[in-house]
């Protein structure tokens, strides 16, 4: 390792092993697109981009060390270096041959041979090397970077372009067309009717300020330039509101996504204020536009003001924040729509087949055909309690990120359920979301279940509602005919509570077993395991016998809703218990706690309060509405 001290630097420069770059990068002044090297070297000789950048840093540092004058304070014809610069790498030495020692000629210095440890070839110029360093310094370890070296590299990189732009106003070290030079006129008289020309000159001066000494050496000119800068900045300060308004107007019209044969162009105003649909697939386009805005690379904006001069203005800041939010949302959408997304993978693995079977059965339903009804019941019963819960959570958490289900009654009186945009809905088409889950989702998948109303003349209930809300789950039926009657035998003298259990068991048995054949009903054949089927059939005789005894004894067990008056109700389960749970009645949902219906109350989904619901004065769970400033979505969940 070699250490150098730059006499114009504030710290030591540590340069390490050398680096590589593609030949195209060496020979181009444009910012390189960095990629894996394809240069034909033996495996042990391949040079990394990091090494190339470090070597470029070494070269530029050595040149900076060799300067005899401050490069940013001298006129372009001033000699700033004594001669060639030796670049030492191990035992090898390569000269950077300097044929023109002046500030303007320094960038043309060339390597006398290939530079070991890099892909800089013989003849590579200092400007090419400095340009590579300026464009790729991020590859280096921060501790190895000397900011003075980077600043010098950027100076060399932009020297020719900067001097050329300044030549519009200066020549041979003095004014160009002194009588009509806008910089001189404004410096002496202020801004009059030359506002546009003054702003244009101001931008050239500010963008290339570091090259002013290179083009000016006439007495008093630089002082006039400084006076010009003060005049323009004072004018801008006095007219800040006008500049800001003009900038905002132009900013609103900046195009984010260009017009296509199928879509209209989308500008900043459309995206931020109107919140129009904009595809997440346009993420890179929006990112580039925002970067261009901040870098003053949008001509319509930069001709009005530099971004740094207006970025704190409220309206500008709001638009920039809006664009940053859109970019953040698009990134989130992109992650959600990956096939590797955890929620998507779980849906495909555990739910997709059952959802498809139900959608197919519902689509084929014919009320006059018992077989199609049986097929539908069979598809519904395939959803176990865990499946229904998982589907509900998936729809609320994943689908709910894009859409909310909005039921409406049309003028015709018929009910429909539509998907309306939620947080991320504006960034996707329905096919982006649902085709990720299954093919033809609108016909044979989840989208069909979510939006297909079972009887559009009677209610807004969809097949999805049936799965997660109103279908008696297989687990409940199975529990009623097995574990709930454990310990009850033919000889048991039934208590009221046990009698209620037998009544519930008989009702469940009527669903699970075909009374004609004595076998498991067709719609439950695939819903039950072989072991579960045996357990059900083993209790048929016990349940039927004890139920008959209850009939003969005239036993009556009160169950269901009990009117307590004044709008208060109790709910007694069929087993005589007073449960704490959600109860569906018609199209509404009610919550009972220890058998008492709650009114005007909040209900949490779990102990952690993952989701919150609210029941009104009638005990009905609210949905698609706002109560006391709290908004509830189509699932009845409070949207925080």
């Amino acid at each position: 390792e070699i250490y150098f001290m730059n006499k114009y630097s504030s710290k030591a420069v540590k340069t390490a092993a050398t680096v590589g770059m593609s030949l195209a990068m060496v020979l181009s002044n444009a910012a390189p697109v960095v990629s894996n090297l394809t240069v034909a070297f033996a495996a042990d000789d391949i040079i990394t981009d990091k090494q190339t950048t470090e070597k470029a840093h070494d070269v530029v540092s050595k040149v900076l060390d060799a300067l005899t004058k401050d490069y940013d304070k001298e006129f372009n014809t001033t000699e700033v270096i004594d001669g060639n610069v030796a670049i030492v790498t191990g035992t090898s030495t390569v000269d950077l041959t300097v044929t023109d020692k002046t500030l303007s000629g320094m960038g043309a210095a060339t390597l006398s041979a290939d530079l070991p440890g890099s892909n800089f070839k013989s003849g590579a110029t200092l400007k090419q090397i400095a340009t590579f360093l300026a464009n790729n310094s991020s590859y280096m370890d921060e501790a190895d970077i000397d900011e003075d070296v980077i600043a010098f590299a950027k100076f060399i990189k932009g020297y020719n372009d900067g001097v050329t732009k300044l030549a519009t106003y200066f020549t041979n070290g003095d004014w160009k067309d002194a009588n009509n030079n806008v910089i001189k006129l404004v410096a002496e008289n202020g801004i009059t009717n030359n506002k546009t020309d003054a702003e244009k000159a101001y931008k050239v001066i500010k963008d290339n300020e570091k090259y002013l000494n290179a083009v000016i050496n006439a007495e008093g000119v630089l002082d006039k330039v400084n006076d010009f800068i003060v005049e323009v900045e004072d004018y801008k300060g006095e007219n800040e509101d006008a500049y800001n308004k003009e900038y905002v107007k132009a900013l609103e019209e900046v195009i984010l996504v260009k017009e296509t044969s199928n879509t209209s162009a989308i500008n900043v105003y459309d995206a931020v204020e109107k919140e129009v649909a904009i595809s997440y697939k346009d993420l890179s386009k929006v990112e580039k536009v925002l970067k261009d805005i901040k870098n003053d690379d949008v001509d319509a904006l930069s001709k009005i003001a530099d971004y740094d001069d207006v970025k704190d203005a409220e309206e500008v800041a709001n638009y920039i924040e809006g664009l940053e939010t859109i970019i953040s949302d698009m990134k989130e959408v992109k992650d959600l729509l990956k096939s590797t997304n955890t929620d998507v993978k779980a849906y495909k693995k555990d739910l997709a087949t059952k959802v498809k079977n139900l959608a197919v059965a519902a689509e084929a339903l014919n009320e006059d055909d018992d077989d199609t009804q049986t097929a539908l019941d069979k598809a519904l019963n395939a959803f176990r309690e865990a499946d229904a819960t998982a589907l509900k959570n998936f729809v609320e958490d994943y689908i709910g990120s894009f859409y909310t289900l909005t039921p409406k009654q049309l003028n015709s009186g018929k009910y429909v359920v539509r998907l309306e945009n939620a947080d991320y809905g504006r960034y996707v088409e329905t096919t982006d979301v649902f085709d990720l889950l299954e093919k033809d989702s609108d016909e044979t998948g989840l989208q069909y279940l979510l939006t297909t109303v079972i009887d559009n003349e009677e209610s807004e209930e969809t097949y999805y509602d049936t799965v997660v809300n109103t279908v008696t789950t297989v687990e409940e039926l199975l529990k009623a005919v097995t574990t709930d009657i454990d310990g009850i035998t033919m000889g048991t003298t039934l208590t009221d509570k046990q009698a209620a259990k037998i009544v519930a068991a008989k009702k469940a048995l009527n669903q699970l077993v075909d009374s004609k054949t004595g076998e498991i009903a067709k719609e439950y054949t695939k819903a039950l395991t072989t072991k579960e089927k045996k357990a059900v059939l083993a209790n048929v005789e016990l349940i039927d016998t004890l139920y008959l005894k209850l009939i003969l004894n005239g036993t009556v067990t009160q169950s269901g809703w009990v009117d307590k008056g004044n709008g208060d109700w109790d709910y007694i389960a069929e087993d005589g218990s007073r449960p704490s749970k959600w109860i569906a009645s018609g199209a509404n949902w009610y919550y009972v706690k220890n058998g008492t219906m709650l009114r005007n109350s909040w209900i949490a989904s779990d102990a952690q309060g993952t989701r919150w619901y609210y029941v009104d004065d009638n005990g009905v769970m609210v949905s698609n509405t706002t109560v006391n400033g709290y908004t509830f979505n189509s699932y009845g969940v409070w949207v925080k």
Side-chain angles (χ1 to χ4, degrees):
E1 295 180 331
I2 308 168
Y3 294 81
F4 300 104
M5 179 65 74
N6 179 353
K7 60 186 176 183
Y8 298 114
S9 295
S10 59
K11 60 183 179 183
V13 181
K14 178 183 178 183
T15 59
T18 52
V19 285
M21 62 190 289
S22 71
L23 184 59
M25 292 176 188
V26 176
L27 299 180
S28 172
N29 291 330
V33 178
V34 180
S35 60
N36 292 332
L37 295 175
T38 56
V39 181
F41 285 110
D44 293 341
D45 294 332
I46 292 178
I47 306 302
T48 68
D49 295 310
K50 180 175 183 292
Q51 289 173 313
T52 301
T53 309
E54 290 172 340
K55 194 61 183 178
H57 189 284
D58 184 11
V59 172
V60 175
S61 175
K62 289 286 288 183
V63 174
L64 186 58
D65 250 357
L67 295 182
T68 58
K69 298 181 185 299
D70 291 345
Y71 65 86
D72 57 350
K73 294 180 181 179
E74 301 300 328
F75 192 61
N76 57 24
T77 58
T78 303
E79 291 190 357
V80 294
I81 194 167
D82 286 337
N84 296 349
V85 178
I87 312 299
V88 180
T89 303
T91 59
S92 300
T93 300
V94 175
D95 283 337
L96 185 68
T97 305
V98 179
T99 56
D100 186 342
K101 300 177 183 179
T102 66
L103 183 65
S104 61
M106 181 174 53
T110 58
L111 292 176
S112 62
D114 294 354
L115 188 62
S118 81
N119 286 328
F120 292 122
K121 303 301 181 183
S122 176
T125 67
L126 175 61
K127 181 179 178 180
Q128 290 169 342
I129 296 170
T131 297
F132 184 86
L133 174 60
N135 292 340
N136 297 283
S137 60
S138 60
Y139 278 115
M140 293 182 63
D141 295 332
E142 188 173 347
D144 293 334
I145 296 176
D146 186 327
E147 293 300 337
D148 290 335
V149 173
I150 302 301
F152 182 46
K154 290 179 178 178
F155 182 90
I156 298 171
K157 171 189 173 183
Y159 182 87
N160 290 342
D161 184 57
V163 168
T164 299
K165 288 181 178 178
L166 290 171
T168 303
Y169 305 99
F170 309 100
T171 183
N172 298 321
D174 205 343
W175 297 112
K176 182 176 182 179
D177 190 11
N179 292 331
N180 298 299
N181 192 300
V182 68
I183 297 175
K184 185 173 183 292
L185 293 174
V186 169
E188 295 173 348
N189 306 306
I191 293 179
T192 54
N193 60 350
N194 50 10
K195 169 180 171 288
T196 301
D197 290 339
E199 288 175 338
K200 182 178 179 181
Y202 176 81
K203 182 166 179 57
V204 171
I205 294 294
K206 294 300 289 184
D207 286 349
N208 301 283
E209 206 163 1
K210 57 180 171 286
Y211 302 115
L212 285 173
N213 286 317
V215 299
I216 298 172
N217 67 353
E219 185 176 355
V221 174
L222 199 56
D223 290 337
K224 292 285 187 183
V225 171
N226 290 329
D227 291 342
F228 165 79
I229 292 172
V230 171
E231 287 289 341
V232 174
E233 290 180 349
D234 285 348
Y235 179 86
K236 284 191 169 187
E238 293 168 1
N239 297 273
E240 181 178 2
D241 288 345
Y243 276 99
N244 289 344
K245 287 180 181 178
E246 187 179 359
Y247 190 93
V248 167
K249 184 178 180 180
L251 177 60
E252 289 176 339
E253 296 173 355
V254 170
I255 299 298
L256 294 176
V257 181
K258 294 180 180 179
E259 181 180 10
T260 68
S261 57
N262 298 318
T263 61
S264 299
I266 300 172
N267 61 29
V268 171
Y269 179 80
D270 294 331
V272 176
E273 290 295 332
K274 295 173 67 176
E275 297 186 348
V276 300
I278 178 171
S279 175
Y280 77 98
K281 298 171 185 176
D282 291 321
L283 170 61
S284 61
K285 297 176 183 177
V286 179
E287 285 182 315
K288 183 180 185 305
V289 172
L290 180 58
K291 181 180 179 181
D292 288 346
I293 291 171
K294 292 183 175 181
N295 290 339
D296 293 320
D297 288 333
V298 178
D299 291 342
L301 298 177
S302 60
K303 72 180 183 182
I304 300 170
D306 288 347
Y307 173 72
D308 285 343
D309 293 336
V310 297
K311 66 181 181 182
D312 294 327
E314 184 177 0
E315 287 187 90
V316 175
N318 287 343
Y319 274 115
I320 297 303
E321 183 180 357
L323 292 177
E324 289 171 342
T325 298
I326 288 171
I327 288 170
S328 176
D329 287 349
M330 285 179 162
K331 289 179 179 179
E332 180 66 21
V333 169
K334 192 174 181 180
D335 287 339
L336 285 172
L337 294 181
K338 289 179 179 177
S339 59
T340 54
N341 179 277
T342 303
D343 291 335
V344 172
K345 289 175 68 176
Y347 172 85
K348 288 183 174 181
K349 177 177 179 291
D350 301 326
L351 298 171
T353 299
K354 293 178 181 179
V355 166
K356 180 179 180 180
N357 290 342
L358 177 56
V360 170
E363 176 68 19
L365 179 64
N366 181 341
E367 293 182 359
D368 297 326
D369 186 341
D370 290 341
D371 288 341
T372 62
Q373 183 62 57
T374 298
L376 179 62
D377 291 341
K378 191 173 183 179
L380 279 170
N381 293 331
F383 286 88
R384 305 299 288 262
E385 184 174 7
D387 297 326
T389 300
L391 182 60
K392 186 172 187 289
N393 289 338
F394 179 74
V395 169
E396 291 185 4
D397 296 338
Y398 184 81
I399 301 299
S401 296
F402 302 101
Y403 302 110
T404 184
L405 298 174
T406 304
K408 293 184 178 180
Q409 189 172 20
L410 305 178
N411 292 334
S412 64
K414 293 185 177 181
Y415 292 91
V416 295
V417 174
R418 293 172 177 161
L419 294 172
E420 295 192 352
N421 287 347
D423 291 346
Y424 298 144
R426 63 184 291 210
Y427 303 111
V428 296
E429 301 287 343
T430 53
T431 51
D432 293 329
V433 178
F434 290 102
D435 283 2
L436 181 66
L437 309 178
E438 58 248 325
K439 293 181 179 179
D440 301 319
S441 184
D442 58 332
E443 297 178 0
T444 58
L446 182 57
Q447 187 178 349
Y448 180 88
L449 298 190
L450 291 173
T451 57
T452 303
V453 177
I454 297 173
D455 186 344
N456 62 13
E457 295 183 353
E458 293 295 327
S459 77
E460 63 198 34
E461 183 180 8
T462 64
Y463 284 102
Y464 165 74
D465 295 327
T466 301
V467 172
V468 299
N469 295 332
T470 61
V471 172
T472 300
T473 65
V474 174
E475 277 85 355
E476 290 173 333
L477 296 175
L478 187 62
K479 182 172 178 286
V481 300
T482 55
T483 55
D484 280 355
I485 60 173
D486 279 350
I488 299 177
T489 65
M490 292 288 191
T492 298
T493 299
L494 300 176
T495 64
D496 287 346
K497 191 171 184 178
Q498 288 173 325
K501 289 184 176 181
I502 292 300
V503 173
K506 178 59 177 174
K507 289 181 179 180
L509 195 67
N510 288 342
Q511 287 187 249
L512 292 172
V513 177
D514 186 325
S515 59
K516 293 182 179 180
T517 64
E519 300 296 329
I520 298 297
K522 289 181 180 180
E523 59 265 35
Y524 290 99
T525 53
K526 290 189 176 180
L528 299 175
T529 65
T530 300
K531 183 178 180 180
E532 289 168 342
K533 292 174 185 176
K534 289 181 179 180
V536 171
L537 296 176
N539 282 342
V540 169
E541 183 180 0
L542 172 66
I543 294 169
D544 283 344
T545 301
L546 293 180
Y547 187 72
L548 180 59
K549 284 185 179 181
L550 291 175
I551 294 174
L552 295 175
N553 292 339
T555 300
V556 176
T557 302
Q558 186 180 25
S559 63
W561 290 104
V562 179
D563 188 356
K564 306 297 288 184
N566 297 321
D568 293 327
W569 291 79
D570 281 354
Y571 183 86
I572 309 300
E574 289 180 343
D575 61 0
S577 64
R578 298 174 64 86
S580 294
K581 66 176 184 177
W582 286 101
I583 304 294
S585 181
N588 296 325
W589 280 89
Y590 304 82
Y591 191 83
V592 294
K593 184 176 181 181
N594 297 324
T596 298
M597 181 188 77
L598 299 186
R599 302 167 65 187
N600 300 316
S601 300
W602 288 89
I603 296 96
S605 61
D606 53 35
Q608 290 73 39
T610 304
R611 290 184 289 274
W612 286 89
Y613 304 81
Y614 186 81
V615 291
D616 63 17
D617 189 57
N618 294 316
V620 177
M621 183 189 78
V622 300
S623 63
N624 280 323
T625 189
T626 298
V627 180
N628 297 328
Y630 298 94
T631 300
F632 300 84
N633 65 19
S634 59
Y635 311 111
V637 177
W638 170 37
V639 181
K640 299 180 181 179

